[in-house]
Structures are given as C-alpha cells and as structure tokens.
C-alpha cells in the first residue's frame, strides 16, 4: 500500500471536437499500473469520446496523452495495440458470421504472432471464460448478450494489454448477467490487469473500482477514491445538479443509474455517526455532564453503587470537574459476578429490554442489562466504527462471529444494518460455508476474531480462491494480533485492509472504538466513556503515553452503568491528534491483560511482547506457545517456547532460528529461555482464542 504508484496512462488538458462541436474540455486523468479506474457519467457526457481518443480512433484538438511512459497523442489504433492498449468497445462489435475463436484471434492481428503463441493465448482466454470454451466453434452472432460481451473482453485480452479499456460492459444485459460480467472484471482486477472502466451504471462502476472520475458535459466534475465517493454527500451534489429529490430521474444522478440504490436515500448518503464536537474543550464539557449524570443515576438507581459511593464518602454533588473521577470507587469483574443475575442494575425491570452475558467459563457469567437507549447508543457507535473503517452502504459484510447471548454477533449485525450495508450473518466456524458465502455473495468486509481470520486466510490460500473473492476489509475482534499475523492475513486475502475493533460486554459490547484508515492505533469513543490508564498494582494514573490498565467510566449507560470499571486490558493513550483529523482520542492495540501478564524471574512479560519479537525474525511463522515450568528442587522457573516455522521455510534452518530467537528474547526482554522450532502447521489452530500460555507453576505468581 505504501508502494509508489506508476502511472500507465496520463492525460493532460485534452480537448476533442466533432467538427465545430466541442466534446471534451481540458480533461486531466491518470491511471496507475494495477488499478481499476472508473469513468462514470450520463449518456453524452463524453466517456466514449475519451476512450476512442485514447485508443487512437479520434484525434484530439489539444492536449497530450502519455501511455506507458511515451507520448502517444498522435498514434493510430493499430500502433496503440502494439504499445499495449486494448479496447472492448461499446456494443461489443463482433463479427457475427465468424466463430468465437475467429473473433478472439482478431484481437492479436496487429501483433503478428506465431500460431503456437496464439493457441496458448486462446487457451488462457478459455480458462478465464469457460463458457466460451464450450462455444468456441459457434458463430458469435448466435450467442447471448452476456456471452458476446465475454467474447469482446476476451478479444481485447488476447493482446495481453498493459491497459484494458472497457466501454459499457453491462449495456443491455440482464441484472444476473451483469453480475457475472462484473465478477469477471473483479477477477481481472485482482489478477493485476489495469482497467479503465466506462459504465453508465455508476453504482456498479464505483463498486468495482479503486478510483473514479465523474464526467458531465465533457468535463470532469469530481474525482477521488471510489469508496469515499460512494459515501460522500458531495457526490450527490455534484451529480444531482438541477435535479431534485422528488424527480431523481430528471437529474444527472438519475441518468447515471444511481437512483435505484440506497445511497440515494438522503438520510443514508448524508449520514454520519461521528460526534458533533468542534474541539477537545467541547468534548470535555460533554464528558463532565455525562460523569455527573452517571454518578447521580448510579447513586439513586442502584443499591450496589449507592453503598459503594457512600463507603467512599462521595455524593453526586461532589462531582464538579473531570478530576473528581479519582474520588470514585472502582468496580471489578468480581462485583459483576457477585451481583448475578442482574449486577449493577440501576433502572426498574420494566425499562430493561435485553440482557447479554460474557462467554466466561469459570464461575458465574457476567450478565449485563440494557435499556432501549443503551441498545440505540451501542448501535450508533458501532455504525460509527464501520464508518471510520470506510465501510459504506454498498458493502456486503460477512459476520463470522458468535450470535447468541453474547454481544458480538448482535453488535456487528445491528451496526451494519444501521449503516445501511448488507449483512451476511454467517456466525462463527464452518469454514466451508464461509468460503462459499465469500464466493457467492462477493462479501467485501469480513468480521471475525483474529484467529478465525488467520484460519480463513490460510484456507483461501490453500483453495487458491484469493482472486475470486472480493474481501477488501477485515474487521477483527481485539484479541492477539502480532504484526506478522496481520501481514499474513492481509496478504493471503489478496491485500485486504485490517481493522482492529476492541470491545467488552461490560461496556455495551464490541465496537467501543476502531482503527482508522491511518492504521495508527485505535480511536475510542470518548463521548460515551472516559478512559483512564492506571498502574495495575498501585491504581494510580501512569504518565501520559505509558502502558497501564484500562479503567472505564460510562457517560450515558442506563441499565448497568460502569464507574471506574477495571477492564484488566493493558494499553496506553497515544498523545496528540491522529493524522486522519478525528478529534476522538486514541489508545494502543490491547497488549494483553493485566491478569495474563507473566511474571517470570521478576520480569513482567506480556504475551504481545513475545509476539512482537518473534514477528521480527524472518523465517518464523505466526503461531507459538509459551510453556512455564518450575523445578521442584531448585525452585527455579523455566520458560520454553515452541514456535512454528513460516510456511515454505527451510527446515535446515531450525537451529539457526532457535539461536536467533533465544538471542532476541534475551536481548529485548532480559530473560533466558529455550526455543524449539516446530514445522509449519504443527501447532493447533482455533477459531476462537488460541491458548498460548501454558503455566504449570504455582498460580499465585501471576498478578491478579
Ligand atoms: Zn485516525
């Protein structure tokens, strides 16, 4: 993603006339190598004129066209094919009496190839379009519209172009066939073919492309990343022009085919779930109001909090500024378990509309109650999480997390529907079905635990289906996510963007923050809760930017408010504003839990630190286990790591990898250990959290 884009087509100040009539006005446009760029606009906007000019079929009256680094402004169409350009024209333009194969062969006519090379290329085209293979001897004129479109695209691909110009591929096709054609375009795009796509159906074109230009009356009126354009209210304005909401078909938007999608609904295209605050001062004022409300509500509504606050000598009147939060008593997971089945309840039962519970296996579950407003708030900020990740109403979100009494599935589902995207409630597990759904529904967003995402990534790789799926974003629950694991998941998913989404049942559920597209830590919703970072042992605040335990206080939670709830999650605040511009503050990815922390020979070690070190060693995989034992006689602790080699890494290197791991751990964590390198795939994988720490020492050594 950080790779510098190489322009393959650069158009500058292009003007084209048909006789005295001007068709294009000073157009600038760039297509980078490997990109799919859409050119959308109404009939007569100048799209086809532009393509024909690039192809050498029309002469510009002004401006330059550079293709693959050279000036091609004055070249003919035949010369352009030799330069590596191919056009699949509007209306297909096949030779009806010729067979499918003969039509395809026309695509390489200007290249003067040998018969053997032509045969090889034909087989490649037939592999891409199996339907054409069955009909290779059939006359092109007798094919269906969709099949004719495949021949036109295949003919253009025969020349192995550096840039494929696709003019109105879906024109006149039934919706089902259009789906097939776009699936092929997507597949071409994933396999690295650079495409300039001209389409009247703007929604489909934007969905299929990375970048888009909006053309109206021979001018470019808007350009940008396609997914952002889809979500951007300015797109509406740019396209609606003289049209109105009542008569969308009269508008340029209507003519561009954008009226039949949900984007057209005003509340969906203009919606945002971001907070309205202008600056940090406004946010802090909101937090103080929320804190006062919460303490008052808890004091008067909950017998548990009433006695806790009384013990601490605090009444609601004592809260006059944000620092007063430090006078408040802590709440812990034990308080929740002790209050089973309705802990912390601060409203009468008739106001509770739902309960959720944690999936905890030991002791009683943590159960949380919700009022309708609690649910609405949760759904609102979950939609915000999707918005921050760039998910739009046109996305298809495959939700592979647990549905049931726990919060995960429900949160992902309701947030997705609130945003207006299409939800595929797949649930966890069932790898076969997940693959099938990705292929058939062309899901664009995949939500899962990190372990499940890795499992899916490996499966997609194994089945060789990466270029037939369409997942471009992975939203994974805040579990363990080392750099190498993220990199591997992204790569095996064909370059998908990863977003870490934290959350916990006590605090509504998942979605309490998310990574933004800068991927620099996690924005959290400071308008819904206050986050303190405290030293887990002294419970005093750490200095800014230091690691410590996350302690949360809710600002508007009704049924089960949280006052200084000790989450046990270890993180830190990232000082300063994010490059994305959001004023919502950030914390680091969760580094571990204060109760997961290993105390080994006087050193505090978080599993994530081991992750980080192993990630830096080339040749190691992402799976590992830590075994801690104690020698009965000497009382000395011993640490042994079992680490998988990377897939395809040379087994001869095991000794060397082991030595390097021992050295790095000694160097960075200041502890000695033994490292055993295991074969790739030999450690157990799990769809849920994989167990990595096996501690057989006396338990009270672990900080609780
Ligand atoms: Zn950001």
């Amino acid at each position: 993603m950080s790779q510098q884009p190489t322009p393959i087509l650069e158009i500058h100040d292009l003007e084209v006339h048909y006789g005295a009539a001007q068709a294009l006005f000073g157009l600038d446009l760039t297509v980078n190598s490997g990109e799919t760029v859409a050119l959308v606009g109404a009939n007569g906007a100048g799209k086809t004129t532009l393509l024909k000019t690039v192809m050498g079929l029309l002469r510009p009256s002004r401006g330059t066209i550079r293709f693959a680094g050279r000036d091609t402004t004055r070249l003919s169409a035949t010369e352009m094919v030799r330069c590596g350009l191919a056009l699949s024209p509007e209306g297909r333009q096949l030779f009806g009496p010729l067979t499918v194969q003969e039509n395809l062969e026309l695509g390489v006519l200007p290249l003067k190839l040998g018969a053997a090379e032509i045969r090889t290329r034909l087989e490649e085209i037939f592999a891409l379009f199996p339907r054409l293979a069955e009909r290779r001897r059939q006359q092109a004129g007798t094919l269906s519209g969709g099949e004719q479109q495949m021949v036109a695209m295949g003919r253009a691909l025969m020349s192995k172009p550096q840039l494929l110009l696709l003019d109105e591929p879906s024109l006149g096709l039934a919706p089902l066939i259009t789906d097939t054609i776009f699936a092929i375009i997507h597949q071409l795009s994933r396999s690295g073919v650079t495409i300039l796509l001209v389409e009247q159906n703007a929604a489909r074109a934007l969905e299929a492309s990375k970048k888009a230009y909006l053309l109206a009356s021979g001018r470019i009126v808007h350009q940008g990343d396609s997914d952002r354009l889809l979500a951007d209210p300015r797109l509406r304005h740019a396209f609606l022009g003289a049209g109105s909401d009542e008569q969308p078909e009269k508008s340029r938007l209507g003519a561009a085919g954008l009226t039949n999608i949900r984007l057209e609904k005003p509340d969906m295209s203009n919606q945002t779930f971001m907070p309205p605050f202008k600056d940090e001062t406004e946010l802090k004022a909101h937090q103080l109001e929320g804190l006062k409300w919460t303490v008052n509500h808890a004091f008067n509504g909950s017998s548990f909090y009433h006695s806790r606050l009384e013990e601490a000598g605090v009444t609601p009147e004592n809260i006059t500024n944000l620092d007063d939060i430090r006078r408040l008593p802590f709440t812990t997971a034990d308080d929740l378990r002790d209050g089973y089945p309705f802990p912390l309840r601060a409203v009468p039962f008739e106001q509770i509309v739902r309960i959720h519970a944690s999936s905890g296996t030991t002791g009683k579950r943590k159960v949380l109650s919700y009022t309708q407003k609690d649910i609405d708030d949760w759904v609102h900020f979950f939609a915000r999480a999707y918005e921050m990740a760039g998910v739009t109403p046109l996305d298809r979100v495959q939700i592979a997390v647990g549905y049931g009494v726990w919060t995960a599935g429900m949160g992902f589902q309701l947030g997705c529907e609130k945003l207006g995207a299409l939800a595929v409630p797949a649930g966890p597990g069932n790898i076969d079905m997940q693959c099938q759904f990705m292929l058939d529904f062309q899901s664009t967003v995949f939500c899962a635990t990190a372990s499940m995402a890795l499992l899916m990534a490996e499966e997609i790789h194994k089945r060789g289906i990466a270029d037939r799926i369409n997942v471009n974003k992975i939203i994974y629950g805040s579990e363990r996510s080392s750099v190498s694991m993220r990199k591997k998941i992204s790569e095996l998913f064909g370059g998908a963007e990863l977003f870490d989404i934290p959350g916990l049942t006590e605090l509504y559920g998942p979605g309490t923050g998310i990574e933004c597209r800068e991927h620099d830590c996690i924005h959290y919703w400071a308008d819904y809760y206050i986050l303190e970072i405290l030293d887990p042992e002294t419970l005093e605040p750490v200095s800014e930017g230091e690691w410590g335990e996350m302690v949360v206080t809710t600002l508007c939670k009704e049924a089960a408010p949280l006052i200084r709830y000790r989450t046990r999650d270890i993180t830190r605040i990232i000082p300063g504003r994010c490059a994305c511009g959001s004023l919502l503050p950030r914390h680091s990815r969760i580094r571990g839990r204060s109760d997961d922390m290993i105390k080994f020979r006087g050193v505090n070690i978080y599993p994530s630190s081991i992750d980080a070190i192993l990630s830096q060693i080339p040749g190691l995989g992402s799976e590992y286990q830590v075994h801690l034992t104690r020698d009965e006689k000497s009382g000395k602790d011993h640490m042994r790591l079992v680490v998988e080699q990377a897939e395809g890494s040379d087994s001869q290197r095991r000794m060397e990898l082991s030595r390097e791991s021992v050295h790095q751990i000694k160097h960075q964590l200041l502890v000695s250990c033994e490292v055993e390198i295991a074969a790739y795939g030999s450690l157990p994988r799990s769809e849920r959290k994989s167990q990595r720490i096996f501690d057989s020492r006396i338990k009270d050594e672990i900080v609780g």
Side-chain angles (χ1 to χ4, degrees), residues 294-577:
T294 295
V295 173
N296 187 55
H297 172 69
F299 187 82
N300 292 307
S302 149
S303 54
F304 165 81
Y305 278 124
H306 192 93
S307 55
R308 272 294 167 86
L309 288 163
E310 269 194 343
E311 279 166 33
V314 187
T315 65
E317 293 72 38
N318 294 140
I319 306 299
T320 58
N321 67 61
L322 282 176
D323 289 336
D324 290 329
I325 195 168
R326 296 194 46 203
R327 305 175 61 166
L328 299 173
F330 291 98
T331 313
T332 65
D334 285 340
D335 294 328
L336 265 109
R337 292 198 191 92
D338 293 347
Y340 187 87
F342 299 104
L344 316 185
R345 184 173 62 87
V347 297
F349 278 109
E350 55 267 34
Q351 289 186 30
I352 295 176
V353 298
R354 193 195 290 174
I355 58 134
H356 278 295
S358 70
S359 49
T361 45
T362 49
K364 288 175 190 163
R365 292 178 191 283
K366 287 177 266 182
V367 182
L368 278 303
S369 309
Y370 296 72
T371 65
Q372 186 57 50
K373 180 176 180 299
D374 292 337
I375 300 285
D376 293 346
D377 285 346
W378 181 29
V379 170
H380 180 89
F381 69 63
F382 210 121
R384 174 191 294 177
Y386 282 122
E387 182 183 344
M388 192 160 254
V391 179
T392 76
L394 279 178
D395 275 302
R396 299 174 178 189
V397 184
Q398 186 163 327
I399 303 167
V401 298
Y403 283 76
V405 74
W406 30 87
T407 48
M410 203 79 90
F412 278 94
Q413 176 80 21
L414 294 174
C416 174
E417 290 174 1
K418 179 80 178 173
L419 182 81
L422 186 159
V424 180
N430 206 338
I431 302 289
D432 252 345
M433 184 187 76
Q434 304 285 359
C435 288
Q436 199 64 52
F437 282 3
M438 276 184 193
L439 287 167
D440 295 348
F441 303 143
Q442 289 287 293
S443 310
T444 56
V445 180
F446 183 62
C447 305
T449 61
S451 307
M452 171 80 178
L454 178 65
L455 210 65
M456 276 303 289
E458 288 177 337
E459 188 66 22
I460 284 164
H461 177 63
K462 206 166 79 192
R463 296 184 184 202
I465 56 172
D467 61 349
R468 286 195 287 136
I469 62 166
N470 199 7
V471 173
N472 54 52
K473 292 189 173 77
I474 295 169
I475 299 178
Y476 68 93
S478 201
E479 179 202 336
R480 186 190 72 102
S481 57
S482 67
V483 178
S484 63
M485 188 177 185
R486 279 172 67 101
K487 192 157 159 272
K488 182 167 184 194
I489 293 172
S490 171
E491 277 171 9
L492 297 186
F493 261 99
E497 201 176 350
L498 265 64
F499 297 89
D500 188 341
I501 190 166
L504 68 163
T505 310
E506 300 89 311
L507 188 57
Y508 299 91
T512 54
I514 197 165
E515 263 182 80
C516 71
R517 303 191 74 178
E518 296 291 330
H519 301 288
D520 187 9
C521 301
I522 289 163
H523 286 279
Y524 69 91
W525 313 146
D527 51 340
Y528 285 95
Y529 59 96
I530 293 174
L531 191 156
E532 294 175 90
I533 305 289
L534 306 180
D535 182 309
E537 288 181 15
T538 65
L539 296 177
E540 289 297 317
V542 298
S543 10
E544 193 183 47
E546 292 294 308
W547 295 92
E549 182 178 322
M550 182 200 273
V551 172
V552 293
T553 302
T554 55
L555 299 172
C556 56
K557 203 161 177 274
E558 293 182 335
L562 298 180
I563 292 181
R564 300 195 95 191
Y565 179 71
R566 295 191 56 187
T567 67
R568 304 284 175 177
D569 283 334
I570 298 295
T571 185
R572 60 176 172 169
I573 299 284
I574 308 299
R577 270 270 181 114

